[in-house]
Amino acid sequence: MNTQELAKEFTSMCRSGKFDEAGKKFWSDDVVSIEPMTGEMARLKGRKAVEGKGKAFLDNNEIHGVKVEGPFVNGDEFTLHFEMDLTPKGKSRTTMKEIGLYRVKNGKVAEEKFFAVH
Amino acid sequence: MNTQELAKEFTSMCRSGKFDEAGKKFWSDDVVSIEPMTGEMARLKGRKAVEGKGKAFLDNNEIHGVKVEGPFVNGDEFTLHFEMDLTPKGKSRTTMKEIGLYRVKNGKVAEEKFFAVH
């Protein structure tokens, strides 16, 4: 499976809201996940840590819908544009937009990096 | 000027269609520009080469409008989502979407990489 094919299948799963399954199928065991923040959650390494972050996000946000545009590909990297309609626990419903950059190595996502609007 | 400030000003210039001026102001002298293609245009290095590519693009496309979403920032990198309404010379009017990833070093854009939908 080349990067283009992986990107298409990964995107299709995200588009269906199956973020967990996309990760389970495509993350490498030592995947690195980089968030646009400071602190100990900014850079996580390893499948368990990254899965834990995903679970924490779903525990703390009610997801009403997600739009995914892409994949936009170049070489062994691809990017996705996310637009999430969600309600963070105890807060108002909002729209969150971000861009994810994925680096593919040996048929797996070796690194994901997220970019936020400030 | 930090990455966030640079990204905002760069984006604002792109949004006004001033791609040339944004480059002139913010590219480093040895900027690297990476396109989602193969061949000799895929990776250009140096301000003159990259300016030449920009000029060739404008010579070969009539730009009717551009929407720029962002900047989406993480550390010393930012991304932009472009949607261009254009007519390539001798072809039909079309919409081109792409994502640009910019790496900032010493207050300049040291590398730009573009991602396309296939």
Side-chain angles (χ1 to χ4, degrees):
Chain A
M1 187 179 281
N2 64 28
T3 297
Q4 179 71 40
E5 291 162 347
L6 187 160
K8 279 197 175 171
E9 191 170 335
F10 188 91
T11 305
S12 169
M13 293 172 86
C14 290
R15 198 165 272 143
S16 310
K18 297 176 182 171
F19 296 101
D20 286 8
E21 290 176 42
K24 281 202 171 81
K25 180 158 186 183
F26 290 114
W27 282 329
S28 69
D29 287 340
D30 55 355
V31 59
V32 171
S33 184
I34 304 167
E35 292 284 348
M37 55 170 72
T38 53
E40 59 181 21
M41 294 292 281
R43 187 181 187 280
L44 294 177
K45 185 166 185 179
R47 179 182 282 273
K48 278 196 179 171
V50 181
E51 283 177 3
K53 179 175 64 169
K55 188 178 178 309
F57 179 78
L58 293 175
D59 286 349
N60 288 298
N61 295 278
E62 186 186 352
I63 313 295
H64 308 291
V66 57
K67 285 185 206 164
V68 184
E69 194 189 351
F72 301 84
V73 183
N74 185 335
D76 59 359
E77 297 184 322
F78 67 95
T79 56
L80 297 176
H81 179 280
F82 294 101
E83 189 176 326
M84 273 195 187
D85 172 15
L86 54 79
T87 305
K89 207 174 257 184
K91 295 188 180 170
S92 302
R93 186 165 175 165
T94 186
T95 300
M96 187 186 81
K97 291 182 181 184
E98 62 177 15
I99 285 180
L101 165 66
Y102 301 85
R103 296 192 172 128
V104 178
K105 202 173 159 185
N106 302 323
K108 294 283 182 179
V109 171
E111 187 182 296
E112 54 176 30
K113 185 170 186 174
F114 299 98
F115 297 78
V117 179
H118 291 276
Chain B
M1 187 179 280
N2 65 27
T3 297
Q4 179 72 39
E5 292 162 347
L6 186 159
K8 278 197 176 170
E9 191 171 336
F10 187 91
T11 305
S12 169
M13 294 173 85
C14 290
R15 199 166 271 142
S16 311
K18 298 176 182 171
F19 295 101
D20 285 9
E21 289 176 43
K24 281 201 170 81
K25 180 158 185 182
F26 290 114
W27 281 329
S28 70
D29 288 340
D30 56 354
V31 58
V32 171
S33 184
I34 304 167
E35 292 283 348
M37 54 170 72
T38 53
E40 59 182 20
M41 293 291 281
R43 186 180 187 282
L44 294 177
K45 184 166 185 178
R47 179 183 280 273
K48 279 196 179 172
V50 181
E51 284 177 3
K53 179 175 66 169
K55 189 178 176 310
F57 180 76
L58 293 176
D59 286 349
N60 287 297
N61 296 277
E62 186 186 351
I63 314 295
H64 309 291
V66 58
K67 285 185 206 163
V68 184
E69 194 189 352
F72 301 85
V73 183
N74 185 335
D76 60 359
E77 297 184 323
F78 68 94
T79 56
L80 297 176
H81 178 279
F82 295 102
E83 190 176 326
M84 273 195 186
D85 172 16
L86 54 79
T87 305
K89 208 173 254 183
K91 296 187 181 172
S92 302
R93 187 165 174 165
T94 186
T95 300
M96 188 185 81
K97 291 182 181 184
E98 62 177 15
I99 285 180
L101 166 65
Y102 301 85
R103 295 191 174 130
V104 177
K105 203 174 159 185
N106 301 323
K108 295 283 183 179
V109 171
E111 186 181 296
E112 54 176 31
K113 185 172 185 174
F114 298 98
F115 297 79
V117 178
H118 291 277

